[in-house]
Amino acid sequence: TERVNFFVKDFLPRGIRRRRLTDAEKAMYFGPFPTVESRRPVWVFPREIRTARPMLAELEAGLPTLAHLPLLLFWADKDIAFWDSVRQRWQTQFPHRHDHTLVGAGHYWQDDAGEEAAQVVRAWFDDRRDSADPATRAE
């Protein structure tokens, strides 16, 4: 699989559901991996995620210490890796959150719905700033 750059040719396009990558975007993804050796991290990474389960469990166990903080939670509803049960766990862990579902977006939602996400981030920060600023609060 590393000889044919499986990640860029097959997996990446399956993770972008709303649109197709342009030729320029594909070139950007192919660029860092011109040789079999340069693609080694791409095919090692999934195995490393699986072997990191103990560390990830430790990180998850610490999430309650952050539960009091505001959170903007994006959810791509066509993600092939993170299912609804994962979203529900995040929602349970963080009661002070704002949810935004990226309808039709896949695992690589930054490419699928980047402009939408950017607008939501801007609005979320604006709302937080406005609600914290006494001069902008309605009486």
Side-chain angles (χ1 to χ4, degrees):
T1 59
E2 68 274 7
R3 292 190 190 283
V4 295
N5 204 345
F6 176 77
F7 173 76
V8 176
K9 286 186 177 180
D10 188 58
F11 191 75
L12 181 68
R14 287 189 291 137
I16 300 172
R17 308 295 293 274
R18 284 186 176 178
R19 65 186 193 87
R20 294 191 185 280
L21 291 174
T22 66
D23 288 342
E25 289 169 323
K26 288 178 192 174
M28 178 199 66
Y29 278 109
F30 276 107
F33 311 110
T35 66
V36 170
E37 188 57 33
S38 68
R39 291 189 284 275
R40 184 180 211 44
V42 175
W43 54 271
V44 169
F45 182 64
R47 181 182 64 229
E48 294 299 315
I49 291 174
R50 289 190 302 274
T51 61
R53 285 191 176 150
M55 183 216 41
L56 295 173
E58 184 179 332
L59 289 172
E60 185 174 5
L63 288 178
T65 63
L66 304 174
H68 66 285
L69 298 173
L71 172 74
L72 175 57
L73 178 63
F74 284 106
W75 199 258
D77 69 349
K78 300 298 182 195
D79 194 315
I80 58 176
F82 296 102
W83 302 295
D84 199 53
S85 60
V86 176
R87 179 186 56 82
Q88 291 170 0
R89 275 198 351 246
W90 279 89
Q91 289 173 324
T92 299
Q93 289 274 345
F94 294 96
H96 306 290
R97 70 178 191 289
H98 174 80
D99 296 304
H100 185 82
T101 302
L102 300 163
V103 177
H107 188 69
Y108 300 103
W109 59 264
Q110 301 88 338
D111 282 310
D112 242 355
E115 290 300 319
E116 177 184 344
Q119 291 172 0
V120 171
V121 169
R122 282 185 204 107
W124 187 72
F125 275 107
D126 287 347
D127 289 348
R128 295 194 48 73
R129 181 196 62 231
D130 293 347
S131 66
D133 182 357
T136 61
R137 277 193 218 143
E139 294 295 322

